[in-house]
Amino acid sequence: SQELEQSPQSLIVQEGKNLTINCTSSKTLYGLYWYKQKYGEGLIFLMMLQKGGEEKSHEKITAKLDEKKQQSSLHITASQPSHAGIYLCGAAETATGNQFYFGTGTSLTVIP
Amino acid sequence: ETGVTQSPTHLIKTRGQQVTLRCSSQSGHNTVSWYQQALGQGPQFIFQYYREEENGRGNFPPRFSGLQFPNYSSELNVNALELDDSALYLCASSSGTSGTLTDTQYFGPGTRLTVL
């Protein structure tokens, strides 16, 4: 099965600080998704990366997919309390695309 | 707002009972998938339906079953509930026409199931 490893497991940062969350796959990815989840709620789609070396930004969040398409990072600049939540990376199973895997998640706390 | 709704919001059942959870997808989304998320873990893929047929399944026993209807609604049924089935159940829909999960999925708010 495909596994997605996320690090760190949790982060506590002061408001205004930058932070990075990593997602590593054991297999080449054909699409890597980033979602945000507020505790106990549904997932909010952030970004999707498909091409090696691709980088996308939305507001203060930037996501990158490495050239080999096995590692992705999510970077938040000047964090705010509204960024708090659980960040999840996910990808479809590479062989058939008929299964979907999520990482274990990174819990982010932003202290005002 | 993703346009995906789920009902009920919360549910309490006892071990051995059966439960049906419901999801309403965005109009035009032919693919729906279901996930189980235990506390403190990432969502685990249960199965996906494409045009009313099961098209992919994760590592869940047959007592987890589903249905998808032509009106973009779907159900997750769980028989013979066990304590470990307590979790947040999420459904997601996507507009992909390939029947795979390579298109963006939009999630509902989830149903919190507690099994006593």
Side-chain angles (χ1 to χ4, degrees):
Chain A
S1 66
Q2 188 162 312
E3 291 185 356
L4 294 172
E5 297 281 341
Q6 275 188 247
S7 63
Q9 195 171 358
S10 64
L11 266 178
I12 302 173
V13 300
Q14 204 75 37
E15 183 177 358
K17 295 294 186 185
N18 303 336
L19 62 105
T20 300
I21 298 168
N22 294 302
C23 175
T24 303
S25 171
S26 56
K27 298 184 180 181
T28 301
L29 299 164
Y30 291 97
L32 187 285
Y33 292 82
W34 283 100
Y35 286 89
K36 178 186 174 185
Q37 183 179 31
K38 291 191 175 178
Y39 299 98
E41 297 182 8
L43 278 62
I44 300 166
F45 169 70
L46 295 175
M47 276 173 272
M48 189 270 264
L49 304 164
Q50 206 158 21
K51 299 176 184 176
E54 187 174 8
E55 179 175 323
K56 287 186 177 178
S57 293
H58 178 67
E59 297 180 343
K60 294 185 178 181
I61 300 176
T62 301
K64 300 178 185 178
L65 184 62
D66 75 337
E67 289 291 343
K68 291 184 178 179
K69 300 200 295 183
Q70 285 190 282
Q71 188 165 8
S72 178
S73 61
L74 186 83
H75 184 78
I76 299 177
T77 303
S79 57
Q80 301 169 350
S82 61
H83 289 128
I86 300 169
Y87 289 82
L88 293 152
C89 63
E93 195 265 338
T94 52
T96 63
N98 289 340
Q99 295 193 36
F100 199 86
Y101 298 96
F102 279 99
T104 49
T106 296
S107 175
L108 173 63
T109 302
V110 180
I111 300 172
Chain B
E1 288 294 327
T2 63
V4 180
T5 59
Q6 290 186 244
S7 62
T9 307
H10 296 88
L11 202 51
I12 299 175
K13 291 285 188 178
T14 56
R15 195 169 45 181
Q17 284 189 311
Q18 178 265 343
V19 69
T20 298
L21 310 182
R22 294 181 171 83
C23 173
S24 179
S25 303
Q26 283 192 30
S27 179
H29 281 195
N30 291 315
T31 300
V32 65
S33 49
W34 286 89
Y35 296 83
Q36 180 194 67
Q37 186 177 25
L39 204 60
Q41 297 183 19
Q44 298 291 311
F45 175 74
I46 302 175
F47 46 56
Q48 63 133 330
Y49 278 76
Y50 175 65
R51 294 187 173 177
E52 302 162 51
E53 298 281 337
E54 185 178 300
N55 200 41
R57 191 176 184 94
N59 191 26
F60 280 80
R63 59 188 186 86
F64 285 79
S65 63
L67 286 171
Q68 185 186 25
F69 304 101
N71 64 352
Y72 304 110
S73 66
S74 58
E75 292 179 355
L76 164 66
N77 298 292
V78 186
N79 292 323
L81 284 167
E82 300 176 359
L83 297 179
D84 285 348
D85 295 334
S86 294
L88 181 68
Y89 288 84
L90 297 160
C91 77
S93 71
S94 63
S95 60
T97 56
S98 63
T100 66
L101 294 170
T102 52
D103 294 288
T104 302
Q105 297 175 78
Y106 296 93
F107 283 79
T111 293
R112 171 72 62 187
L113 173 65
T114 302
V115 182
L116 302 176

